[in-house]
């Protein structure tokens, strides 16, 4: 622990430095963590959470293990104090600030025995002038930050008279650790006379004349607006000089920003940049991710540089187009209503992706390296957009940085979801400060695609409130508009012109928009007669209709859909004891949060059992279910089977939403729920907590290719259609084959199929290539015996690419439920080629459904494909990517291959 020094004892060296600006990272100090009860006092670090320091000091074990989510709740039921002595700060600075990038959440801060501030917002930057306290400090300057219990304080606030409540109880939809602590970096900033320190920087790049949510004119020059928030007082007559450099640090443009405007703490200026002097930034698959460095120097009236900031930027326009469908669009077959899609640099595109949740309950453990690994899986999964769901945290800069480099668009949200919020002036101004800080902080990133006010408020919560309490509804609606329109929208448009805003995901869009007076948007709400409007969000846990496409929502963009599945045995094993490795064990049930318990009650089994039942029923309904004699192997096979259902269900919806690009709904987005896990539990994730891909991530990767061939079967009419869908920006043409096989791999003769059927698909479009009555096509055969293999082979051009590229895709259709199919042993074999770093899988004796390459714990291996089908005699050579290998390469010997047929075996 840091030795307490007498404050007055300062070395001459430090006194000299004191005349210059000095920024001290408070993580370099030794900290102490103490609890309210007083029995715990341990060394601590920042950024951190009490939980992490308790684990680091062995006060508690592995935080995520077993039922610790319940057993460690004593931690959040009391206060925790982080303290340190600011021992070597200068005593002669004109001003000293404490700069906190994030305190989670309710704190009381003291320095030298004096109260400095109380904070109550995890997402704000706090900058506290402690100059007077320090100069009066006659002892060692002890800094202490007392964190209250957020759940208890929130409960107290909710119980105050006059607070609004939705008609729902407290829910724990995920792990409930409610961590408290200084979760983001903190600094002491000391300034001499006339010095300033930049605490936040806005760089906004947009087309001249552009306004939020409106389609920019691509022929206009760029405008670059820069605005710097400083600590200290800006001298009168400040100016701003700028340089834009390319990736190899060649200067592209430089000079002084025009229209400079300043207050004591903010200086702003802008400049136009000719359109042709920079290259565009594109999302992955649509062109290069060209990046530039912008440096802005703040100059005093006597032309001294008093501050300098650099931000990496990209030149692009991204807009959410919510304009009415035009007559020209209607003439093309698009249904009337509004548009609801994104356009990059003037081009509509198909958004393919998923929903990102906090990758860890404990954010200080998330870093650039873990984030890059995850985002590499996004790109490998053929995804170009993530919806960063609101109920977590604003993404750190390094996440946007990596997304900028990889070309992943980040739909970002303010942190509101599925709840009713206060609208008193203190709360609204707190929210406004938070929003302004966050909007300015991340705006320079070209990956930033959009700001939404929050999650599931407009199309889900408002109608529910209207139904349950119609008398109070007008007031609730007015409060909704006060927060999401009157407060949040200005926080966006006063700071950026480049980014679109909407009050909620999901919504039906606006009828009109102006920037003069609130409420700015005339909202459409449920006024949707005579057209198709807005986004969809779809969950249906009745697995009997999982593959009935007429149950799926028809909209312009699908931002959420899903079903839960189990993680793999390898992942479970790391988090629960061996005696808990069974489907409905106590640990599995308690870790399941679908459905959430509806309270903090740990013994409420009823809701979670319902979710366990849904997974079980889906597996039983659609697949042969495992009955292995070895109980662990049986558990593993059950986990996998729930993943197969999940993958097939999402796959059915992804193909439906992609085909929608060529139907009147003109659907231009599919973002499934959810990309990844934050712990080991039954969830909707496609990537497990340690990075393993579930069957879903592979299936989505396959179906997010540019050109795909898809079957659509209507069980009531027995009609099968085959469609080819392309999200390329030019037409593609090629041929489609569709061949029927028995499960033993013998081709079915005497049926038509398709043989070299020519197909052309327009830009961002879908074409039906075959429509057949299965009863007629397969007359005389049993559906249980037969499968259809479809393939498309086409050529076309990728966006911004001159070269013609071949596109191929294979897909399978089973004419009966797989639970009833007469599966045969496909005779799978797998071999490893050490030199070529590939595996080869082949099916010797039959059709292999959901061919699955499995590998041991202690490593994450992602294969070029997995969960695929193979025809008899077919083989597939697969490259792979290895991360975090703790087995020294021995995992290769533990690789196995299986398929759905293995579910029919006793061992
Ligand atoms: C707990 O923390 C809150 C917020 O900092 C503070 O208001 C309260 O006084 C603290 N209570 C105790 C017992 O430390
Ligand atoms: C260009 O400058 C930036 C910022 O100063 C630096 O991080 C980067 O490494 C430089 N790049 C090259 C290619 O020199
Ligand atoms: C400078 O900023 C103030 C405050 O935002 C604003 O009222 C004023 O119009 C601005 N002046 C110029 C020249 O942009
Ligand atoms: C737009 O501006 C007018 C006039 O300032 C105002 O009356 C109206 O409520 C505003 N909002 C919308 C959505 O039209
Ligand atoms: C409903 O939407 C139509 C079509 O956009 C619009 O003309 C009409 O004014 C809206 N009605 C209401 C009550 O907002
Ligand atoms: C928790 O739920 C169980 C079963 O519903 C009930 O018996 C028990 O009283 C509840 N406990 C608390 C603390 O609410
Ligand atoms: C798990 O428990 C649920 C709820 O009781 C039940 O419906 C389901 O059949 C069980 N699943 C398995 C695989 O035993
Ligand atoms: C495959 O199954 C079909 C239908 O049962 C049968 O007619 C055919 O002879 C079988 N082929 C082989 C190679 O066993």
């Amino acid at each position: 622990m840091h030795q307490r020094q007498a404050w007055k004892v300062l070395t001459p060296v430090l006194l000299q430095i004191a005349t210059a600006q000095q920024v001290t990272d408070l993580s370099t100090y030794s900290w102490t963590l103490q609890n309210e009860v007083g029995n715990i006092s341990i060394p601590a670090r920042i950024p951190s959470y009490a939980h992490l320091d308790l684990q680091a000091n062995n006060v508690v074990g592995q935080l995520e293990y077993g039922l610790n989510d319940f057993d460690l709740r004593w931690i959040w039921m009391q206060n925790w104090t982080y303290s340190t002595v600011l021992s070597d700060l200068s005593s002669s600075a004109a001003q000293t600030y404490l700069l906190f990038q994030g305190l989670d959440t309710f704190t009381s801060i003291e320095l030298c025995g004096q109260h400095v501030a109380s904070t109550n917002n995890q997402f704000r930057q706090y900058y506290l002038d402690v100059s007077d306290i320090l100069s009066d400090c006659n002892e060692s300057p002890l800094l202490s930050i007392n964190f209250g219990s957020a759940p208890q304080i929130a409960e107290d606030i909710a119980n105050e008279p006059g607070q609004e409540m939705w008609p729902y109880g407290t829910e724990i939809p995920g792990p409930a650790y409610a961590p408290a602590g200084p979760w983001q970096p903190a600094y002491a900033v000391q300034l001499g006379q006339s010095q300033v320190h930049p605490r936040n920087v806005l760089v906004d790049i947009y087309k001249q004349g552009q306004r939020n949510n409106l389609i920019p004119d691509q022929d206009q020059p760029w405008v670059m607006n820069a605005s710097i928030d400083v600590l200290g007082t800006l001298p009168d007559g400040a100016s701003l000089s700028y340089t834009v450099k390319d990736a190899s640090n060649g200067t592209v443009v430089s000079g002084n920003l025009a229209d400079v405007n300043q207050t004591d703490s903010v200086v702003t200026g802008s400049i136009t940049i000719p359109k042709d002097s920079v290259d565009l930034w594109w999302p992955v698959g649509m062109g290069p991710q060209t990046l530039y460095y912008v440096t802005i120097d703040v100059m005093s009236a006597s032309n001294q540089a008093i501050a300098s900031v650099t931000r990496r930027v990209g030149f692009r326009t991204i807009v959410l187009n919510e304009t009415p469908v035009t007559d020209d669009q209607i003439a093309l077959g698009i249904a009337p209503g509004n548009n609801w899609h994104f356009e990059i640099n003037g081009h509509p595109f198909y958004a393919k992706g998923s929903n990102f949740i906090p990758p860890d309950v404990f954010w200080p453990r998330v870093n650039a390296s873990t984030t890059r690994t995850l985002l590499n899986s996004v790109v490998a999964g053929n995804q170009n957009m993530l919806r960063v769901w609101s109920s977590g945290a604003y993404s750190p800069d390094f996440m946007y940085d990596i997304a900028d480099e990889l070309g992943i668009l980040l739909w970002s949200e303010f942190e509101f979801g599925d709840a009713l919020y206060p609208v008193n002036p203190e709360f609204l101004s707190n929210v406004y400060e938070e929003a302004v800080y966050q909007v300015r902080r991340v705006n320079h990133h070209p990956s930033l695609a959009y700001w939404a006010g929050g999650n599931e408020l407009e199309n889900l919560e408002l109608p529910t409130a209207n139904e349950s309490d119609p008398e109070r509804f007008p007031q609730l609606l007015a409060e909704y508009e006060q927060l999401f329109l009157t407060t949040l929208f200005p926080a966006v448009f006063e700071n950026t012109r480049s980014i679109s805003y909407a009050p909620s995901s999901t919504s039906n869009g606006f009828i009109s928009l102006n920037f003069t007076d609130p409420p700015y948007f005339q909202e459409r709400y449920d006024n949707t007669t005579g057209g198709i409007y807005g986004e969809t969000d779809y969950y249906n846990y009745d697995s009997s209709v999982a593959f009935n496409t007429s149950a799926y929502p028809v909209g312009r963009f699908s931002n959420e859909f899903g079903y839960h599945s189990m993680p793999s045995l390898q992942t479970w094993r790391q988090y629960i004891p061996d005696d808990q490795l069974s489907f409905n064990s106590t640990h599995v049930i308690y870790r399941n949060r679908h459905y959430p318990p509806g309270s903090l009650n740990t013994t409420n089994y009823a809701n979670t059992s319902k979710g366990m039942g849904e997974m079980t029923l889906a597996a039983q309904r659609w697949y042969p279910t495992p009955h292995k004699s070895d109980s662990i192997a049986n558990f593993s096979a059950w986990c996998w089977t729930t993943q197969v259902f999940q993958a097939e269900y999402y796959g059915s919806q992804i193909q439906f939403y992609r085909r929608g690009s060529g139907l009147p709904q003109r659907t231009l987005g599919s973002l499934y729920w959810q990309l990844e896990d934050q712990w080991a539990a039954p969830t909707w994730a496609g990537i497990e907590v340690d990075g393993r891909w579930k069957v879903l991530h592979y299936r989505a990767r396959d179906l997010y290719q540019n050109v795909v061939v898809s079957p659509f079967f209507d069980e009531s009419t027995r009609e099968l259609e085959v469609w080819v869908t392309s999200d390329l920006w030019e037409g593609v043409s090629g041929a489609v084959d569709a061949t029927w096989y028995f499960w033993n791999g013998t081709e079915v003769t005497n049926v038509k199929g398709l043989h070299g059927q020519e197909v052309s698909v327009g830009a961002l479009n879908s074409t039906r290539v075959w429509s057949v009555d299965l009863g007629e096509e397969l007359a005389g055969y049993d559906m249980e015996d037969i499968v259809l293999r479809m393939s498309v082979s086409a050529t076309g051009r990728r966006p911004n690419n001159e070269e013609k590229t071949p596109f191929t895709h294979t897909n399978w259709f089973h004419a009966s439920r797989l639970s009833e199919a007469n599966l045969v042993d496909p005779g799978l074999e797998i071999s490893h080629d050490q030199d070529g770093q590939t595996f080869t899988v082949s099916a010797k004796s039959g059709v292999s459904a959901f061919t699955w390459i499995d590998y041991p714990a202690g490593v994450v291996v992602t294969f070029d494909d997995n969960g695929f089908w193979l025809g008899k005699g077919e083989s597939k050579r697969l490259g792979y990517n290895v991360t975090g290998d703790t087995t020294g390469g021995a995992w290769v010997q533990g690789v196995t291959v299986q398929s759905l047929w293995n579910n029919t075996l006793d061992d």
Side-chain angles (χ1 to χ4, degrees), residues 512-514 516-523:
S512 66
L513 162 69
N514 72 33
T516 45
D517 287 305
Y520 312 109
F521 286 118
Q522 185 191 349
E523 289 269 75

Side-chain angles (χ1 to χ4, degrees), residues 583-584 609 612-613 616 638:
F583 199 84
N584 277 325
S609 295
M612 299 305 295
T616 308
W638 265 96

